[in-house]
Amino acid sequence: MTPEDTVDELLRRFAGRDAPPESLAELFAEDVDFFVAGDTDVVPWIGRKTGRAGVADFWAQIQDRLESEHFVVSDIMSKGDRVVVLGDLRSRLRETGRVISTEFAFDVEVSNGRITRFRMLEDTFAVARAFVP
């Protein structure tokens, strides 16, 4: 499986939005370097995650707290073991009803068919503002 194949499979499973978080996490190495920047005091699912259990927790919180309204990948670029995914998304925070609209980038490294490094870059200000009553 190439790095692109692994990332394509992640996107395929994520697009289903009802895929069990463990099925997403199984694509990651147990010692994955997983980080989503942002205000961890406000947004519970972001920050550094440890192991597949941490990755599964990230996806579970996304599924529990957000209703996806729009998720479009505009470009996928790869070089060696690194794959970058660009796109835009719109989600509704179930807790407040507020909408989060942002462009995003997934910066992913893959080794032996498993994701070993994952970064999600997005408008973290917009995400945090969705929590403000």
Side-chain angles (χ1 to χ4, degrees), residues 2-132:
T2 69
E4 295 87 353
D5 292 339
T6 301
V7 172
D8 284 346
E9 181 61 16
L10 175 67
L11 294 171
R12 187 189 70 72
R13 292 181 190 188
F14 181 67
R17 295 297 291 163
D18 57 353
E22 295 76 18
S23 78
L24 293 156
E26 73 186 10
L27 296 171
F28 291 77
E30 184 55 46
D31 61 348
V32 64
D33 178 7
F34 188 105
F35 184 70
V36 179
D39 189 346
T40 57
D41 291 333
V42 175
V43 184
W45 62 80
I46 62 172
R48 189 160 305 280
K49 303 300 179 188
T50 304
R52 286 191 191 115
V55 172
D57 181 59
F58 169 82
W59 296 114
Q61 287 195 46
I62 293 290
Q63 289 176 349
D64 289 345
R65 295 174 178 263
L66 296 176
E67 181 178 331
S68 178
E69 295 183 351
H70 175 81
F71 182 86
V72 173
V73 171
S74 59
D75 209 351
I76 299 176
M77 300 163 282
S78 64
K79 181 178 180 182
D81 291 339
R82 190 174 194 182
V83 180
V84 175
V85 178
L86 303 176
D88 60 272
L89 61 83
R90 185 177 58 252
S91 301
R92 185 171 304 277
L93 184 61
R94 289 187 172 105
E95 185 177 323
T96 65
R98 293 206 173 160
V99 173
I100 301 166
S101 293
T102 182
E103 295 177 308
F104 69 86
F106 295 159
D107 182 1
V108 182
E109 290 181 18
V110 179
S111 179
N112 297 320
R114 295 282 184 255
I115 298 168
T116 57
R117 181 178 179 278
F118 180 90
R119 298 291 185 273
M120 181 175 176
L121 308 169
E122 62 185 340
D123 182 350
T124 58
F125 182 73
V127 175
R129 295 248 331 141
F131 280 85
V132 178

